[in-house]
Amino acid sequence: MIAGLMKRRIDPLWEHAASPLIGIGMTPNQVTAGGLVLVALSCAAYVYHQSSLAFGLCLALAFTFDALDGAVARRRHMSTKAGGYFDAMADRYQELAVFAAIGWVADLWAIAMIAFAGGILTSYAKARTAIEIPIENQAWPDFFERMERLVFICVLLVADGLAIAMGAASPWFLTGGFALYALLANATALQRINRAFAMLKRADAKKP
C-alpha cells in the first residue's frame, strides 16, 4: 500500500541512495542477487546465533540493499522484463528463507507456513489476473503488501531482541507478532483476490 500510494515520492529517494552502487558499476541483476545473498547469510547467521535483534537489523540492511535494484535499473536505463521477473522470484525466495529461519529457531513452523502462504497468494492473485486481462501494475493498493511485510518483520525481530536484552522477554512476543503477520498477510491476499474477482467479472460483462 505504501509503495503504491507514495511511489512518486519514494522512487527519487531510492534512486539517490543507489548512486554508490551505480558508481561501482553494478547492474540491476547484480543488486538483486546481492540482496538475495545478504538475506540468505542473515538467515544462516540467525540459525547459528539465534539473536532476534541482530537478525532484524541484518534483514533491514539486506532488504534495503535489495530495494535498490529498481532504482539502479531506472538510473542506468537497464529496465527489462527479465530483470523484473528475476527480482520477483528472488523476493519469494527471500521470504521463504526468512520464514524457514524463524520456524527453525522459534519452532513456529505452522505459523511460518501460513505467513509464507499469505505473501505468495498476495503475489499470485495479481499475476494470475494478468494472465486473464491486461492490468495496471500499480493499481493494487492493498493493505499488507511486500514493503509493509518487510518493515513489520524487521521491527518485530528487533523489538523481540530488545525485550530479551532488557530482561522482559516473553515466549509469546515473537509468536504473537508472527501470528499477526500471518493474519494480515492472508487478509491482504483475500482483499486482492476479491479485487481480482471484481475486475474479471467486469471484463466478462463486457464480452459480446
Side-chain angles (χ1 to χ4, degrees), residues 4-206:
L5 296 177
M6 301 183 65
K7 181 176 176 58
R8 292 183 179 179
R9 295 183 179 181
I10 293 175
D11 281 353
L13 298 178
W14 287 128
E15 290 175 11
H16 178 73
S19 295
L21 302 180
I22 295 171
I24 60 176
M26 290 192 73
T27 67
N29 285 348
Q30 288 173 339
V31 177
T32 300
L36 180 58
V37 170
L38 287 176
V39 170
L41 291 175
S42 298
C43 292
Y46 178 53
V47 170
Y48 175 74
H49 59 62
Q50 301 190 358
S51 169
S52 296
L53 177 59
F55 188 36
L57 294 175
C58 288
L59 282 183
L61 175 63
F63 286 142
T64 299
F65 184 89
D66 175 67
L68 297 175
D69 51 5
V72 171
R74 291 189 295 273
R75 288 276 304 274
R76 298 194 63 185
H77 305 289
M78 297 177 68
S79 298
T80 64
K81 295 184 183 300
Y85 181 83
F86 177 47
D87 181 44
M89 295 302 100
D91 288 347
R92 304 292 82 75
Y93 273 111
Q94 287 177 1
E95 293 180 25
L96 176 60
V98 170
F99 297 149
I102 295 175
W104 179 274
V105 171
D107 194 22
L108 295 173
W109 288 110
I111 299 176
M113 182 184 71
I114 297 171
F116 183 61
I120 288 292
L121 289 170
T122 297
S123 177
Y124 184 71
K126 181 196 288 188
R128 189 63 181 83
T129 305
I131 295 176
E132 302 293 342
I133 58 174
I135 63 172
E136 293 292 333
N137 189 46
Q138 303 302 327
W140 298 72
D142 299 297
F143 176 69
F144 204 55
E145 295 185 275
R146 178 170 166 77
M147 180 176 290
E148 288 83 0
R149 297 199 303 269
L150 298 183
V151 171
F152 186 101
I153 203 69
C154 289
V155 170
L156 174 62
L157 289 165
V158 169
D160 182 60
L162 290 175
I164 294 173
M166 293 185 296
S170 168
W172 295 104
F173 189 90
L174 184 59
T175 302
F178 203 24
L180 178 60
Y181 177 105
L183 177 64
L184 293 174
N186 281 277
T188 300
L190 292 174
Q191 178 187 16
R192 183 163 284 189
I193 290 168
N194 182 63
R195 179 185 290 110
F197 265 120
M199 295 171 66
L200 293 169
K201 287 180 178 179
R202 286 196 296 271
D204 288 336
K206 293 178 181 179

